[in-house]
Amino acid sequence: MRKRLAIALSALAGLALTFSGSAQPPSKLQHLISLTWSEDFDAFGGLSALELADNGRDFLAISDRMHLMQGQLIRRDGQITGVELSRHQSLRDAKGNNLKAWNRDSEGLALRPDGTLYVSLESINQIWHYPTAFGPAKALPRHPDFRKMHRNAALEALAVDGRGRLYTVPEVRPKSRPGLPLYRYSSKGWQILYYIDVQEGFDPVAADFGPDGQFYLLERKFGGIGFRSRLRRFDLGKFDPKGEHLLTTALGQHDNLEGLSVWRDPQGQTRLTMVSDDNFKFFQRSEIVEYVLTETLAKAAATH
């Protein structure tokens, strides 16, 4: 991912610093928990994407080195208390080979209801799909824009809608485009549906469709000594390129959030669960962060 050198150079300044930042718009999300996640194997770290099942427990997560992890979030009274892995291994190409180190920059993850898994590789500007999670890969065709994207600022955000259609947004606006293209894949190939406004230097890193059918976009901004995250929501039926602002975090409030899963809990509340990429650096942390959409709190309370 971008700015790794800058992150390393600011390590000492960034240790355990949290800043309130400038005044932010009122948040439409309520923070539930931030939990540091660690595992005792060398490939753990660099978490770049998360797919969480409707039960809020079963998950798939991927690192930016093509390592796929499957497991469960342990919950008590709905709150995350730990993580239990059941399987993990490196993903391979169509021939069953591991990619070379410089090509293993896997960033996005999306899962169709039929079990098909999609992974975006920022290093080669391509999206692979896996008919089964740990099986052989097949490459999807590229949109002409993909080949022109910078290898460290390309396809990070992937999402599948309720009809099983795949969407992606690049990390940085292509030079030839008026905004961030929202691409959708179909039997006709990739098409640009809309252009999302670029705002305040935040870059898209993850996306998901919520239980409300709307498109949620997680964005990230590096501030020299830490990260800020932002969440926007888009109604694709009546599209507004600015979207609806849900949250902007203070500098250093969370680590480098890069994965997002949006789901509905048994009480009818919409939760947004995220994971952070520690870049395999000792001064960062792999973090699971969960928020709830405040508009669903009142609805859930009224029905229980």
Side-chain angles (χ1 to χ4, degrees):
M1 69 164 303
R2 301 188 311 141
K3 304 185 181 72
R4 284 195 173 116
L5 179 58
I7 295 169
L9 292 175
S10 63
L12 294 178
L15 280 173
L17 289 180
T18 301
F19 294 85
S20 59
S22 58
Q24 301 299 331
S27 173
K28 297 182 180 181
L29 299 178
Q30 178 178 310
H31 180 246
L32 296 177
I33 194 168
S34 297
L35 179 76
T36 299
W37 178 14
S38 62
E39 298 288 344
D40 190 21
F41 58 91
D42 290 342
F44 181 77
L47 302 174
S48 58
L50 174 73
E51 275 291 325
L52 193 58
D54 291 341
N55 61 17
R57 296 187 301 273
D58 298 322
F59 74 84
L60 288 170
I62 197 169
S63 78
D64 57 16
R65 295 181 182 177
M66 291 293 287
H67 203 80
L68 185 66
M69 288 157 272
Q70 183 177 38
Q72 278 200 339
L73 299 181
I74 308 303
R75 293 182 181 270
R76 175 175 294 180
D77 298 326
Q79 196 81 304
I80 301 171
T81 59
V83 183
E84 184 176 287
L85 281 186
S86 57
R87 184 177 182 182
H88 64 89
Q89 70 180 55
S90 294
L91 293 179
R92 300 184 179 186
D93 63 16
K95 296 180 180 180
N97 300 320
N98 288 322
L99 289 177
K100 301 295 183 182
W102 54 88
N103 280 336
R104 291 184 307 180
D105 196 1
S106 47
E107 295 290 350
L109 188 68
L111 183 65
R112 287 181 56 179
D114 65 3
T116 301
L117 188 70
Y118 296 95
V119 176
S120 63
L121 287 84
E122 195 176 39
S123 54
I124 57 176
N125 300 344
Q126 198 169 51
I127 295 172
W128 288 1
H129 72 105
Y130 295 80
T132 58
F134 292 92
K138 296 181 180 180
L140 291 183
R142 288 186 177 105
H143 187 280
D145 286 356
F146 295 178
R147 298 181 184 275
K148 303 173 187 177
M149 292 176 181
H150 191 281
R151 62 180 289 140
N152 286 322
L155 305 173
E156 289 221 9
L158 287 182
V160 168
D161 69 11
R163 295 170 58 183
R165 297 176 297 185
L166 179 67
Y167 297 72
T168 188
V169 180
E171 186 179 3
V172 173
R173 177 184 66 85
K175 292 182 179 179
S176 60
R177 299 300 181 183
L180 289 163
L182 174 60
Y183 303 93
R184 185 173 70 192
Y185 185 73
S186 70
S187 59
K188 298 179 181 180
W190 291 100
Q191 295 177 312
I192 297 175
L193 292 185
Y194 302 109
Y195 291 100
I196 296 171
D197 279 359
V198 181
Q199 295 182 355
E200 301 175 9
F202 282 86
D203 300 324
V205 289
D208 197 15
F209 281 88
D212 55 6
Q214 297 197 51
F215 181 76
Y216 289 74
L217 185 66
L218 173 64
E219 299 169 285
R220 178 267 323 282
K221 183 177 183 179
F222 180 61
I225 53 174
F227 297 90
R228 296 173 66 201
S229 297
R230 185 174 66 177
L231 279 154
R232 286 191 283 170
R233 178 171 61 177
F234 298 84
D235 185 338
L236 301 190
K238 42 184 179 180
F239 185 75
D240 177 353
K242 295 181 180 179
E244 178 187 6
H245 178 272
L246 299 178
L247 173 74
T248 299
T249 66
L251 181 64
Q253 183 175 342
H254 301 301
D255 209 287
N256 179 25
L257 295 178
E258 283 205 7
L260 169 69
S261 191
V262 186
W263 57 287
R264 179 178 288 133
D265 69 17
Q267 288 72 44
Q269 301 170 152
T270 297
R271 299 198 188 198
L272 294 89
T273 309
M274 292 164 274
V275 292
S276 70
D277 177 358
D278 69 353
N279 291 294
F280 295 94
K281 305 296 185 184
F282 74 91
F283 51 86
Q284 291 184 256
R285 64 192 182 279
S286 297
E287 185 180 26
I288 302 173
V289 175
E290 193 162 85
Y291 282 81
V292 63
L293 190 62
T294 53
E295 68 191 37
T296 64
L297 289 172
K299 292 179 182 179
T303 57
H304 287 80

